[in-house]
Amino acid sequence: MTTSAQLRDVTLRDGLQLTGKLLDTDTKVELARVLLDSGVDALEIGAMARPDKVPPMANTLDVIEALTPEELQRCWVWTATPRGITRAIEAGARNVEYCLSVSDQHNYANVGRTTEQSMAALPEAVDFAAVAGARLQLSLATSFTCPYRGEVDPQRVVDLVRDSRAADIASVVLCDTLGQATPEQVRQLIKRVRDAAPQHEIVFHGHDTWGLGVANTIAAIQAGAAMVDGALGGLGGCPFAPGASGNTSTEDLLFALQPSWLTPPIFAGIVAAGGRLLEELGEPNRSRAAEGARSTVDAFPWVT
């Protein structure tokens, strides 16, 4: 499947947040540059999260400051408060995500407030980003299911996107935080959001807990998503979402989508970079494409 949808690699944020190990700034910057130079459209490079809550994100500001302005144009930083957005922008970030959960229970577990309290602070976040000329993305965690209450009503997602306080965001991220959605559910929700707020681009953020990460991502693109997320080796998960496994693998998405810039040698380089990272972290590699690339049957051009 060839596609015009952009791929965003979230290894340096969502991928690392459960590992418990803080990678040094140079290692993070090196990986970011490998991915950007390979042709990956965009990256998440960190989060403005409390270091005592999410230790692997402690040097996010250092990572931002180490990247060039040109590189930062393709990088995103996760935040949950207007203050986090201000700090990220002051360090040089040009693209920031303001995250809240559709489910009150998960939002409280994740950021210590209700969904409405997070929405109430959104206009301040929008103003900060506008003054700085930065892009602001509204990221909706638990758009499909919640670990504390089960299925989430799609209308609640639509209502948040249509809320007047979200009118000036650049795009909206629909997150299958637990990896429990099916392709049809993904298609239906994206259609509803597009119909309700056609001015917003849609990003799909999937997890592969139930083995449907790639299928859900393809369904999202077919339904109109402009960007999709993945992490090297299927790394990641939410510390406040019991039962969630890693993100949909970047390598699997690349092999399935085969964007115009991807060649077998570039793919081999990305697979190798993911392998080195996971080995350093002591984490398993969940990418099926990375496993396939290590085949000894070398007649297939994608075998590395």
Side-chain angles (χ1 to χ4, degrees):
M1 176 182 178
T2 55
T3 176
S4 60
Q6 292 193 329
L7 172 66
R8 176 170 62 182
D9 182 89
V10 300
T11 304
L12 292 172
R13 198 279 299 180
D14 199 359
L16 293 179
Q17 65 182 5
L18 276 185
T19 61
K21 179 178 180 179
L22 176 64
L23 289 181
D24 63 75
T25 300
D26 288 345
T27 299
K28 289 185 174 182
V29 170
E30 180 183 2
L31 179 60
R33 287 178 171 154
V34 166
L35 293 170
L36 291 172
D37 291 345
S38 295
V40 174
D41 301 289
L43 309 178
E44 268 189 351
I45 55 170
M48 304 308 300
R50 285 173 47 181
D52 61 324
K53 296 289 187 182
V54 192
M57 297 295 103
N59 56 356
T60 293
L61 289 175
D62 296 330
V63 173
I64 298 171
E65 291 169 353
L67 292 168
T68 69
E70 292 75 20
E71 290 166 337
L72 289 170
Q73 289 290 345
R74 295 162 62 191
C75 295
W76 293 82
V77 179
W78 184 100
T79 69
T81 64
R83 174 59 180 156
I85 287 173
T86 302
R87 294 176 65 212
I89 290 174
E90 287 175 348
R94 306 307 305 147
N95 307 297
V96 285
E97 300 167 75
Y98 182 81
C99 184
L100 55 90
S101 303
V102 180
S103 155
D104 276 319
Q105 292 90 334
H106 186 264
N107 203 63
Y108 201 86
N110 197 23
V111 297
R113 60 187 71 92
T114 65
T115 301
E116 172 53 34
Q117 287 172 323
S118 287
M119 283 296 292
L122 178 57
E124 185 180 1
V126 169
D127 288 345
F128 283 152
V131 169
R135 286 189 294 174
L136 179 65
Q137 192 172 74
L138 177 62
S139 184
L140 299 179
T142 62
S143 288
F144 297 88
T145 57
C146 165
Y148 308 108
R149 60 167 293 172
E151 291 191 9
V152 171
D153 184 355
Q155 188 59 45
R156 185 165 166 83
V157 177
V158 172
D159 290 344
L160 289 171
V161 175
R162 292 182 61 186
D163 192 299
S164 60
R165 293 169 291 188
D168 293 324
I169 61 171
S171 51
V172 59
V173 188
L174 302 180
C175 302
D176 182 18
T177 305
L178 296 171
Q180 294 172 336
T182 65
E184 185 58 24
Q185 288 173 322
V186 171
R187 273 191 290 267
Q188 289 296 327
L189 184 60
I190 289 179
K191 182 180 184 302
R192 289 185 65 167
V193 170
R194 287 187 71 198
D195 289 345
Q199 72 276 22
H200 296 322
E201 285 193 342
I202 295 175
V203 180
F204 177 70
H205 177 92
H207 285 246
D208 200 35
T209 313
W210 285 71
L212 291 177
V214 172
N216 285 340
T217 300
I218 290 174
I221 293 170
Q222 291 172 338
M227 178 181 283
V228 295
D229 288 350
L232 292 172
L235 192 64
C238 175
F240 306 104
S245 69
N247 293 271
T248 305
S249 158
T250 290
E251 299 94 326
D252 294 357
L253 290 176
L254 285 173
F255 183 66
L257 302 175
Q258 297 194 12
S260 59
W261 54 264
L262 189 70
T263 64
I266 290 174
F267 181 68
I270 292 173
V271 168
R276 291 192 298 269
L277 173 68
L278 292 162
E279 184 176 358
E280 179 172 352
L281 295 170
E283 293 283 340
N285 194 328
R286 301 181 181 91
S287 167
R288 301 302 299 273
E291 180 182 355
R294 294 190 292 270
S295 169
T296 57
V297 182
D298 59 6
F300 189 51
W302 296 95
V303 169
T304 61

